[in-house]
Amino acid sequence: MPTVHLLDFVAGNIRSLVNAIEKLGFTIQWIRSPSEIASANILILPGVGHFGHCMTQLAAGGFTDAIKQHITSGKPFLGICVGLQALFAGSDEDPTVPGLGLIPTRLKRFSSSKTKSVPHIGWNEATTKHDGALEGKSLFGLRPASRYYYVHSYAALYREGELEGEGWSVAKAVYGEEVFVGVLARGNVLATQFHPEKSGGAGLRLIKAFLNGHRVSDLPAGAQEAGLPGLTRRVIACLDVRTNDAGDLVVTKGDQYDVREKDASSTGGGQVRNLGKPVSMAQRYYEQGADEVTFLNITSFRNCPLADLPMLDILRLTSKTVFVPLTIGGGIRDTVDADGSKVSALDVAKMYFASGADKVSIGSDAVIAAEEYYARGKTLSGLTAIETISQSYGNQAVVVSIDPKRVFVSRAEDTPHSTIETAFPGPNGEHFCWYQCTVKGGREVRDLDAQQLAVAVEALGAGELLLNCIDRDGSNKGFDLELVRALKKVVGIPVIASSGAGVPEHFYEVFRETGTDAALGAGMFHRGEFTVEQVKDFLHDKGLAVRGAEDTSDVIL
């Protein structure tokens, strides 16, 4: 089989890229020293995270000149995410660190606003419709209606004619009012700001076209119509994973975080609800069109040696066939292995990334970190899991899971915490409430409200919030819109609404009423009441932009 050379350096989740390349019938050969690049034909530079960190790693390993020489030689080169950004002179993300300098301009941070979160996370277009030379054509398999997975805070903002004047073909995308570069191609060089290996069938098509040297092809009949421009609404499938009473890993679902069947004959409750096997269910949701899959390890498998964590196997197996982003939560903390050695949260995250995760979700430890942040007078320590992981892999790799519950008060002044006037009065007719943070799966409350936690973890470096609600968990009554609105007002990072979805209308409601960036479903999907595809069809019919189904018959035989 043909060989692809892949640069081996700190680049986040590289396993999914390997799986995608092997799925397309190619083999991988790792480049671990600069001298090996000279013998490479097809070279891929992946990259996830912080521009300065990645470029510093390349320079320290002596790779930068070797990469430039490979590009100059005319041999195929693909840069992904930071691999695209590396082509530029530099980035405002770290002004002191230079890029490769093939393009003399610099990357800028997206502007944030009330209607636009940063990082830019999700599915967006990569359109060449402004390029007359590509009318009716496809550049490396790109299609007008396809959507691709982006996750970045800094971008090459598009200026008409500038890159084209240097001989580059450009596919662009729109985020809010800003137009940015999604794809660059010139001669032997292809670079994507999005992650093709996480972009489902559309991304696999681009990788295949690059590996086979098919730069430009005719667009198939019926593939020329574009969908709604801009970022789509993400629909995420969530799988709560734990061991059942027989010791098997299962997907379960709680009712206000209680995952056991109701059993009146037992004071301890019934058996753990078993809704299926994690890997097969993740595959099913991918095929239904889920934009992301989240695994929440709700017991953290505390007694397992780290190298044998069951979730590592789940991620390895899932990432072989599921080519959308995977998030893993549970156990991302400083810990001690079975042999007594200390393992940092960053090292735990590295194992998850190496096994196929794209993002890690931090729960209870984020609450502790936030409390310490305020105790220090809102200063950073540089030592928390959020800080160390985001500094190495970028803040888009860190999700904080918030587990709040309502506390009702008669008057706003009855508590020092942030309150809302609620449309759903408390048990004694109270018209105000605040959202109290919890830890340990909701079993322990803390003197911290959800807004305080959100503000603190954004400052610490989190790139996204997974906003649960204990009161709505398993209720099928819809998301807590008041909670989502309250959190969206105090942070600039994306928010994922969770807890309470029971019908497709609930997804439309939370997108329409709160401006949330994504919405997550669990039980309604696990029980087979609705599919992800049905939810997305409903949103599409209501006029919202969603990623549609992708015909991949031309990609994988």
Side-chain angles (χ1 to χ4, degrees):
M1 291 189 291
T3 299
V4 177
H5 288 79
L6 197 59
L7 198 61
D8 184 19
F9 78 114
V10 179
N13 173 17
I14 204 168
R15 177 172 287 272
S16 292
L17 179 57
V18 171
N19 290 338
I21 292 169
E22 292 179 344
K23 185 84 170 178
L24 294 168
F26 290 75
T27 59
I28 296 291
Q29 186 167 331
W30 295 99
I31 296 289
R32 293 190 169 92
S33 71
S35 61
E36 295 173 350
I37 291 182
S39 60
N41 181 29
I42 300 174
L43 178 65
I44 298 181
L45 174 62
V48 176
H50 192 276
F51 175 88
H53 177 75
C54 290
M55 294 306 303
T56 299
Q57 292 286 319
L58 287 175
F63 287 106
T64 50
D65 286 341
I67 293 171
K68 290 179 183 178
Q69 290 168 10
H70 177 93
I71 292 173
T72 303
S73 74
K75 291 187 287 189
F77 173 86
L78 170 61
I80 296 174
C81 194
V82 179
L84 174 142
Q85 296 183 359
L87 300 178
F88 287 77
S91 171
D92 287 355
E93 188 170 18
D94 193 334
T96 66
V97 178
L100 296 175
L102 272 71
I103 301 170
T105 55
R106 301 180 62 84
L107 296 123
K108 303 291 183 181
R109 192 178 192 274
F110 282 118
S111 62
S112 57
S113 67
K114 291 182 179 180
T115 58
K116 189 174 77 174
S117 303
V118 178
H120 169 240
I121 298 179
W123 299 77
N124 209 326
E125 61 192 335
T127 178
T128 59
K129 64 183 179 182
H130 60 290
D131 189 335
L134 291 172
E135 182 72 28
K137 302 291 185 180
S138 171
L139 178 67
F140 286 107
L142 296 174
R143 294 185 179 181
S146 294
R147 294 296 177 264
Y148 307 90
Y149 182 75
Y150 294 85
V151 53
H152 58 123
S153 298
Y154 292 79
L157 300 181
Y158 178 75
R159 288 183 285 271
E160 187 172 357
E162 183 177 84
L163 290 165
E164 291 90 341
E166 297 295 325
W168 293 96
S169 296
V170 182
K172 58 187 182 179
V174 178
Y175 189 38
E177 72 288 353
E178 294 175 294
V179 183
F180 67 94
V181 173
V183 176
L184 286 172
R186 185 177 71 181
N188 58 307
V189 176
L190 172 65
T192 67
Q193 180 60 72
F194 59 80
H195 285 272
E197 77 280 11
K198 307 306 299 185
S199 297
L204 294 177
R205 181 180 294 113
L206 177 137
I207 296 173
K208 182 179 181 179
F210 168 75
L211 295 180
N212 288 320
H214 297 160
R215 187 179 192 277
V216 177
S217 58
D218 292 330
L219 278 172
Q224 301 192 23
E225 291 187 13
L228 294 173
L231 193 65
T232 66
R233 309 302 181 108
R234 280 182 288 156
V235 176
I236 300 173
C238 180
L239 295 87
D240 292 341
V241 180
R242 65 158 290 164
T243 51
N244 63 11
D245 297 299
D248 300 319
L249 281 177
V250 299
V251 175
T252 188
K253 186 68 190 80
D255 179 0
Q256 296 187 329
Y257 289 26
D258 180 3
V259 299
R260 292 188 176 274
E261 299 287 2
K262 304 305 179 186
D263 185 352
S265 65
S266 172
T267 57
Q271 297 288 309
V272 171
R273 293 187 185 95
N274 181 354
L275 299 176
K277 296 295 184 181
V279 176
S280 60
M281 293 181 72
Q283 177 68 31
R284 182 200 314 164
Y285 298 141
Y286 169 62
E287 292 170 354
Q288 291 176 3
D291 295 314
E292 298 182 26
V293 175
T294 295
F295 294 106
L296 296 182
N297 174 355
I298 62 175
T299 52
S300 298
F301 303 98
R302 286 180 284 271
N303 298 322
C304 289
L306 287 172
D308 295 324
L309 278 173
M311 287 307 303
L312 296 179
D313 287 333
I314 288 176
L315 287 168
R316 291 185 190 110
L317 291 171
T318 302
S319 65
K320 288 183 177 180
T321 57
V322 174
F323 297 103
V324 296
L326 303 176
T327 300
I328 172 66
I332 317 295
R333 61 179 182 272
D334 294 340
T335 188
V336 178
D337 206 348
D339 62 4
S341 59
K342 294 182 179 180
V343 182
S344 70
L346 176 59
D347 287 333
V348 175
K350 285 179 180 177
M351 284 189 283
Y352 281 129
F353 291 138
S355 299
D358 301 281
K359 297 184 274 189
V360 293
S361 177
I362 302 173
S364 296
D365 274 32
V367 177
I368 306 304
E371 292 173 338
E372 294 172 350
Y373 168 79
Y374 287 115
R376 291 191 303 269
K378 299 182 181 180
T379 59
L380 306 179
S381 72
L383 302 175
T384 66
I386 298 172
E387 292 170 274
T388 57
I389 298 170
S390 64
Q391 286 162 7
S392 293
Y393 293 97
N395 65 346
Q396 78 289 333
V398 181
V399 181
V400 166
S401 180
I402 302 179
D403 297 318
K405 61 195 309 181
R406 285 189 172 216
V407 177
F408 290 96
V409 291
S410 297
R411 303 173 303 164
E413 53 267 32
D414 289 344
T415 176
H417 293 287
S418 298
T419 61
I420 63 167
E421 186 171 3
T422 178
F424 306 96
N428 299 311
E430 301 97 333
H431 286 279
F432 292 88
C433 73
W434 64 282
Y435 289 91
Q436 185 171 27
C437 291
T438 68
V439 296
K440 299 179 180 178
R443 296 187 300 276
E444 182 181 306
V445 297
R446 311 293 288 197
D447 188 24
L448 190 75
D449 62 57
Q451 292 95 320
Q452 288 175 310
L453 176 57
V455 169
V457 299
E458 181 178 24
L460 289 167
E464 200 167 23
L465 301 178
L466 173 55
L467 183 55
N468 307 292
C469 179
I470 294 177
D471 308 281
R472 290 295 180 104
D473 183 61
S475 70
N476 297 324
K477 295 180 179 179
F479 300 94
D480 189 328
L481 305 182
E482 295 176 334
L483 172 60
V484 180
R485 275 195 291 262
L487 265 288
K488 284 290 291 180
K489 287 180 181 179
V490 299
V491 295
I493 57 179
V495 174
I496 303 168
S498 176
S499 303
V503 294
E505 288 88 340
H506 291 153
F507 285 82
Y508 176 63
E509 182 181 55
V510 74
F511 284 126
R512 182 192 63 199
E513 299 293 335
T514 72
T516 190
D517 301 272
L520 178 151
M524 61 182 284
F525 298 145
H526 304 338
R527 294 186 295 268
E529 296 162 353
F530 295 94
T531 66
V532 175
E533 185 177 15
Q534 286 174 315
V535 170
K536 298 181 85 171
D537 286 345
F538 184 87
L539 296 175
H540 176 268
D541 291 344
K542 290 291 186 179
L544 298 185
V546 293
R547 179 178 69 101
E550 189 84 25
D551 179 8
T552 59
S553 58
D554 64 316
V555 180
I556 301 173
L557 299 179

